[in-house]
C-alpha cells in the first residue's frame, strides 16, 4: 500500500457542520425570542450569521483576528444587521452556541462506515483541524468517532493553521509518518488541499458543492466518502 497514514479534516468532511450548526442556531433563535426582538425569521437570522461566520473564519485563518474576536463578533455583527445592540445577548448567544454545538451528532453519510473500514485495514488515522481544540474533541466524542483517531492535531496544539505548511509538518512528525506515504482528506481547496499539496502530501477532495477550479488539481476527487474504499 502506498499510503500508510490517513489524515482527515473534521468540519464539512466527516462532521456535518452545516446541519449541526443549523440545529443549534434554531434552538437559540427560539430560546432567546429573537423574533420578538426584531429578527423577522430564523431563516434570515441563519443566513446572516453564516455570512459573518465565514468571513470571520477567513480573517482568523489569515491571522487578522484572534479566536476571541471570532467568537464574539459573529453574533454581534449578526444582531447589528437587525439593529439589535445588546452586548449581554451577544455574549449569551456566543457562550451557548459553543456549549451546544459540540453535543450535536450529525455526520456525513458513510463517515463511520469508512472509518471502520480503514481501522479494519490497520491504517493509523489522524485528524488535522483548524477548530478550537476543546470544541473539536467534544464534537468527535459526541458523534462517536473519537476512538478511531491516533492523533488529533489542532491549530492550537500545532501553533499554526491550515493551509500553512507548518501544521502539516507538525502532524507528520507527531504521527511518525512521512509526507509521501500520507494522504489528506478534506473539503476546502484553499485550506486542506493546497496545504497538503505544499507539504508534499497527496490529497482527496470531498466537496459536492464546490467544484475544482483553477490550477490546483487534487490527487483524487470524490463525491461520497464511500468512494475512499476504492482509493485506500
Amino acid at each position: 500500500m502506498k499510503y500508510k497514514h490517513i489524515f482527515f479534516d473534521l468540519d464539512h468532511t466527516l462532521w456535518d457542520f452545516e446541519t449541526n450548526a443549523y440545529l443549534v442556531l434554531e434552538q437559540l433563535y427560539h430560546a432567546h425570542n429573537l423574533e420578538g426582538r426584531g429578527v423577522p425569521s430564523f431563516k434570515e437570522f441563519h443566513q446572516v450569521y453564516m455570512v459573518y461566520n465565514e468571513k470571520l473564519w477567513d480573517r482568523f485563518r489569515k491571522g487578522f483576528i484572534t479566536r476571541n474576536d471570532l467568537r464574539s463578533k459573529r453574533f454581534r455583527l449578526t444582531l447589528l444587521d437587525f439593529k439589535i445592540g445588546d452586548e449581554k445577548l451577544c455574549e449569551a448567544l456566543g457562550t451557548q452556541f459553543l456549549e451546544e454545538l459540540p453535543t450535536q451528532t450529525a455526520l456525513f453519510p458513510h463517515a463511520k462506515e469508512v472509518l471502520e473500514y480503514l481501522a479494519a485495514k490497520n491504517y493509523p488515522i489522524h485528524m488535522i483541524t483548524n477548530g478550537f481544540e476543546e470544541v473539536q474533541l467534544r464534537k468527535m466524542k459526541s458523534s462517536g468517532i473519537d476512538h478511531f483517531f491516533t492523533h488529533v492535531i489542532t491549530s492550537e496544539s500545532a501553533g499554526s493553521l491550515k493551509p500553512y505548511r507548518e501544521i502539516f509538518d507538525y502532524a507528520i512528525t507527531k504521527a511518525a509518518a512521512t509526507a509521501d506515504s500520507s494522504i489528506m482528506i478534506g473539503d476546502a481547496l484553499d485550506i486542506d488541499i493546497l496545504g497538503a499539496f505544499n507539504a508534499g502530501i497527496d490529497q482527496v477532495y470531498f466537496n459536492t458543492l464546490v467544484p475544482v477550479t483553477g490550477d490546483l488539481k487534487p490527487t483524487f476527487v470524490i463525491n461520497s466518502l464511500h468512494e475512499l474504499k476504492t482509493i485506500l
Side-chain angles (χ1 to χ4, degrees), residues 79-126:
L79 291 180
L80 284 174
D81 257 36
F82 299 100
K83 298 180 172 56
I84 302 172
D86 186 331
E87 194 61 31
K88 286 187 178 180
L89 177 58
C90 292
E91 289 295 324
L93 289 169
T95 299
Q96 291 168 24
F97 181 76
L98 287 178
E99 288 174 350
E100 292 299 322
L101 185 64
T103 70
Q104 303 303 303
T105 60
L107 298 169
F108 278 98
H110 308 294
K112 280 191 178 179
E113 172 193 338
V114 165
L115 290 171
E116 289 168 354
Y117 165 83
L118 296 174
K121 295 190 74 170
N122 295 316
Y123 280 110
I125 310 171
H126 316 286

Side-chain angles (χ1 to χ4, degrees), residues 4-28:
K4 296 181 180 178
H5 287 264
I6 315 299
F7 293 88
F8 276 94
D9 172 52
L10 181 59
D11 294 335
H12 314 283
T13 300
L14 292 172
W15 196 79
D16 189 344
F17 182 90
E18 282 81 5
T19 294
N20 291 318
Y22 183 97
L23 293 172
V24 175
L25 289 168
E26 188 173 32
Q27 291 171 15
L28 294 176

Side-chain angles (χ1 to χ4, degrees), residues 9-10 30 33 39-40 47-48 55 60 79-80 97 103 105 141 164 166 173 194 203 206-207 223:
D9 172 52
L10 181 59
H30 294 296
N33 188 27
V39 184
Q47 288 175 338
V48 172
K55 287 180 178 178
F60 174 67
L79 291 180
L80 284 174
F97 181 76
T103 70
T105 60
K141 185 173 183 178
Y164 299 110
E166 289 80 7
T173 300
L194 177 62
Q203 326 91 41
F206 170 51
N207 189 327
N223 293 308

Side-chain angles (χ1 to χ4, degrees), residues 106-159:
L107 298 169
F108 278 98
H110 308 294
K112 280 191 178 179
E113 172 193 338
V114 165
L115 290 171
E116 289 168 354
Y117 165 83
L118 296 174
K121 295 190 74 170
N122 295 316
Y123 280 110
I125 310 171
H126 316 286
M127 179 73 66
I128 308 179
T129 172
N130 279 350
F132 307 130
E133 184 151 351
E134 180 185 353
V135 174
Q136 300 302 77
L137 292 174
R138 287 179 61 204
K139 287 178 185 175
M140 295 167 66
K141 185 173 183 178
S142 296
S143 55
I145 62 172
D146 56 318
H147 63 285
F148 289 109
F149 294 89
T150 305
H151 295 289
V152 177
I153 294 91
T154 67
S155 53
E156 287 180 82
S157 63

Side-chain angles (χ1 to χ4, degrees), residues 42-79:
F42 170 67
K43 180 179 179 181
E44 291 179 66
F45 174 70
H46 177 256
Q47 288 175 338
V48 172
Y49 171 85
M50 294 303 287
V51 169
Y52 281 122
N53 187 57
E54 181 54 39
K55 287 180 178 178
L56 289 166
W57 264 105
D58 182 61
R59 290 181 60 76
F60 174 67
R61 285 190 291 263
K62 291 174 179 176
F64 296 143
I65 62 173
T66 67
R67 82 173 186 173
N68 286 335
D69 291 332
L70 170 60
R71 287 175 165 179
S72 63
K73 285 184 177 181
R74 53 190 174 187
F75 283 104
R76 183 180 299 121
L77 292 172
T78 297
L79 291 180

